[in-house]
Amino acid sequence: MLRVKYLSEMEKIEYLNLWIGFKRAVEGRTMVWEKLDECWKEVFRQSWESYKNGTIPVGAVILNEKNEIVSKGRNVGYDSKCNHILAGTAMGHAEMLALMQLKKEEHPNIEKYKLFVSLEPCPMCFGSIMMTGIKDVFFAATDGTAGSSVLQDITEYIESRGVRVTKESGDMEVVQIVLQTSRGKFTPVRKSIETWEGEHRGVVSFGNKLHDENYFKIAIDNNIDISEIYNGILKRYYSESLQNAYSNVASI
């Protein structure tokens, strides 16, 4: 017998969303890798490269007015093997590496450019994006610790710069949170994980499970492509989450 009538409205909504997500994943209607725009594919390729190199898994891409990729970057803040000038520094964020490549004289139409990043920009990155003149920013996962999209109208000057920040699909957020959570007790990501445990507890638990299984270490050792990893995360997350939901709801 089902005890659905005893569920809170929030629990009912959560289970319904899991069912919808699972249906989309198994039927191929969710934003699986093949349906991602090329810019987002490159964002997650960069994020995965950061993961493989022992730092925070964040990637960024910049498109010009013709929607061509003109710059890309990945987090190198804790990458001991990278020889980039920002590697090993507090400024080694994906957005910073991407922005550094855009010289003014070579990009006169930069105000028409768009920046895509897997994690909501921090204050430093938001300020840098604003000062370069880029108007449109898209991110996959909210950062409850350092995310600074709220700064877009905090002062008259910042508001006058006209930066528009948009959060994208929840499926990409799932993948980003799982990648960061699965880093385990890697200190730099712990605060972000703690903020996600409220709104995205199931995703965090799933990321911890993959960490305990050495899921991503095995993927690295076997040179598994990010496209396969991305699809695998979504399908397995929705499948297991739905099974857990049914276990919590149903009783004999």
Side-chain angles (χ1 to χ4, degrees):
M1 183 178 71
L2 293 179
R3 296 183 287 107
V4 177
K5 62 181 180 180
Y6 295 116
L7 295 175
S8 69
E9 289 302 313
M10 288 298 295
E11 287 173 324
K12 291 178 183 178
I13 293 172
E14 179 183 358
Y15 295 144
L16 177 60
N17 287 337
L18 286 173
W19 170 248
I20 293 172
F22 172 71
K23 288 275 290 181
R24 287 175 176 170
V26 297
E27 294 175 7
R29 293 205 308 268
T30 192
M31 286 189 70
V32 291
W33 185 264
E34 292 76 13
K35 294 186 177 182
L36 288 178
D37 290 338
E38 184 58 37
C39 62
W40 280 116
K41 289 180 180 179
E42 188 58 40
V43 165
F44 280 96
R45 288 189 189 106
Q46 295 297 313
S47 182
W48 180 234
E49 282 301 311
S50 289
Y51 188 101
K52 291 192 296 183
N53 284 279
T55 187
I56 302 173
V58 180
V61 162
I62 298 175
L63 301 187
N64 63 14
E65 71 275 21
K66 297 179 181 179
N67 287 325
E68 302 167 330
I69 295 178
V70 294
S71 183
K72 55 190 176 182
R74 66 176 182 84
N75 185 287
V76 295
Y78 297 87
D79 189 342
S80 60
K81 299 178 182 178
C82 181
N83 59 6
H84 191 281
I85 190 173
L86 295 182
T89 76
M91 293 183 290
H93 290 200
E95 301 97 316
M96 299 297 286
L97 269 68
L99 292 167
M100 285 180 65
Q101 300 171 44
L102 303 180
K103 295 184 178 181
K104 291 181 179 180
E105 62 273 16
E106 297 175 2
H107 300 276
N109 298 321
I110 197 168
E111 291 190 354
K112 298 179 181 179
Y113 287 15
K114 300 174 184 178
L115 185 145
F116 297 78
V117 62
S118 57
L119 187 66
E120 183 180 1
C122 71
M124 173 182 68
C125 293
F126 178 85
S128 299
I129 293 167
M130 177 189 69
M131 295 307 294
T132 62
I134 292 176
K135 302 297 185 185
D136 290 294
V137 180
F138 302 85
F139 67 90
T142 300
D143 184 348
T145 301
S148 298
S149 58
V150 295
L151 297 178
Q152 56 192 307
D153 59 0
I154 196 170
T155 69
E156 184 176 342
Y157 174 75
I158 293 177
E159 186 175 15
S160 72
R161 302 290 292 187
V163 181
R164 297 175 290 268
V165 184
T166 304
K167 180 181 176 181
E168 290 284 26
S169 161
D171 291 326
M172 291 192 290
E173 183 168 44
V174 168
V175 175
Q176 180 63 29
I177 291 175
V178 167
L179 283 175
Q180 287 195 228
T181 303
S182 64
R183 292 305 310 273
K185 299 185 181 301
F186 184 51
T187 302
V189 301
R190 288 309 304 170
K191 288 185 178 179
S192 294
I193 293 173
E194 289 170 5
T195 64
W196 287 325
E197 286 177 339
E199 185 178 356
H200 303 286
R201 182 175 300 176
V203 185
V204 171
S205 296
F206 180 65
N208 285 329
K209 180 178 181 179
L210 295 188
H211 166 72
D212 293 341
E213 294 178 1
N214 290 319
Y215 181 89
F216 293 107
K217 182 180 184 303
I218 294 172
I220 293 172
D221 292 343
N222 288 276
N223 199 30
I224 303 299
D225 189 76
I226 182 58
S227 60
E228 186 175 342
I229 294 169
Y230 186 97
N231 286 341
I233 288 173
L234 288 179
K235 291 183 178 181
R236 182 172 166 185
Y237 166 70
Y238 284 121
S239 176
E240 293 187 11
S241 296
L242 189 62
Q243 291 174 16
N244 291 336
Y246 274 130
S247 296
N248 292 334
V249 173
S251 63
I252 304 300

